[in-house]
Amino acid sequence: MTGGSALPGPDGRPRCPWGLSAEDYLEYHDTEWGRPVHGDDALFERLSLEAFQSGLSWITILRRREGFRRAFDSFKIASVAEFTGADRERLLADPGIIRNRAKVDATLANARVLAQWPEGELDALIWSYAPDPAGRPAPRTVGDVPAVTDESTALAKALKGRGVRFVGPTTAYALMQACGLVNDHLAGCVARAGCVARAA
């Protein structure tokens, strides 16, 4: 994301500039980004996709999301934890996903780690790092939106300390934004109020 305040979309209502850069982004911006996400499997999916996005544009991941879901059995932790060497080779040959060996291996390893956690623990751990929204003024421009925060740094450290791979402070913050731990829709964005209401 680069500088700028909210801009009018195709319906005339203002939105974050990045949400207007592609049709896929518009729907994602309006209906998903910043809405609270709960559930271990749902958060494992988001964590995995953010890791795959590292070094790439999010649109690249978004346009392959259904391919990722098919390839990783809808990111059900218990299922992915049982993937075999043959599954790994299948993933590395699958054109519907990003065939990055390190990222595939990290996703499989993370599933095996998370499968050992009690149900609800991933959800509880991630959400324990959500900052108090009262202490975060609404960003007025994209330039006001951070890439890393103290909370995302602490979350990445906590996940790594528990054996989760391929998650740094920037990836952790992108996860926090996408899953509604923070609301980084701009002050003038039509989607911001809906995220505030859902979080409440």
Side-chain angles (χ1 to χ4, degrees), residues 33-52:
W33 193 77
R35 272 74 174 168
V37 173
H38 285 283
D40 292 344
D41 290 345
L43 288 167
F44 172 58
E45 175 184 352
R46 288 0 181 250
L47 182 64
S48 300
L49 293 180
E50 293 294 350
F52 272 101

Side-chain angles (χ1 to χ4, degrees), residues 65-192:
R65 185 162 58 168
E66 291 310 314
F68 273 107
R69 286 173 171 168
R70 285 191 297 271
F72 286 96
D73 195 17
S74 298
F75 288 95
K76 291 178 282 194
I77 293 171
S79 178
V80 179
E82 297 297 324
F83 277 18
T84 64
D87 288 307
R88 177 179 180 272
E89 294 309 309
R90 168 182 60 80
L91 292 167
L92 292 173
D94 189 339
I97 67 170
I98 303 300
R99 292 173 288 181
N100 179 291
R101 193 174 301 273
K103 294 175 182 180
V104 167
D105 287 346
T107 303
L108 301 182
N110 288 344
R112 290 190 287 270
V113 167
L114 296 173
Q116 305 304 312
W117 292 18
E119 184 177 353
E121 188 162 348
L122 178 62
D123 188 307
L125 175 64
I126 289 175
W127 276 91
S128 72
Y129 288 90
D132 180 358
R136 303 184 83 251
R140 304 200 66 82
T141 70
V142 176
D144 296 331
V145 179
V148 173
T149 63
D150 290 344
E151 292 87 359
S152 75
T153 300
L155 173 57
K157 182 177 180 180
L159 288 168
K160 285 182 178 179
R162 296 287 300 273
V164 177
R165 294 164 50 182
F166 227 101
V167 55
T170 302
T171 296
Y173 193 66
L175 175 75
M176 294 171 74
Q177 291 175 304
C179 296
L181 281 77
V182 296
N183 183 0
D184 277 344
H185 284 284
L186 301 185
C189 177
V190 68
R192 182 173 177 82

Side-chain angles (χ1 to χ4, degrees), residues 6 11 13-16 18-19 25-36 183-198:
D11 58 3
R13 298 188 298 169
R15 291 176 174 82
C16 303
W18 67 266
Y25 270 158
L26 181 61
E27 181 178 358
Y28 176 68
H29 169 276
D30 284 2
T31 64
E32 290 189 59
W33 193 77
R35 272 74 174 168
N183 183 0
D184 277 344
H185 284 284
L186 301 185
C189 177
V190 68
R192 182 173 177 82
C195 292
V196 171
R198 286 174 183 245

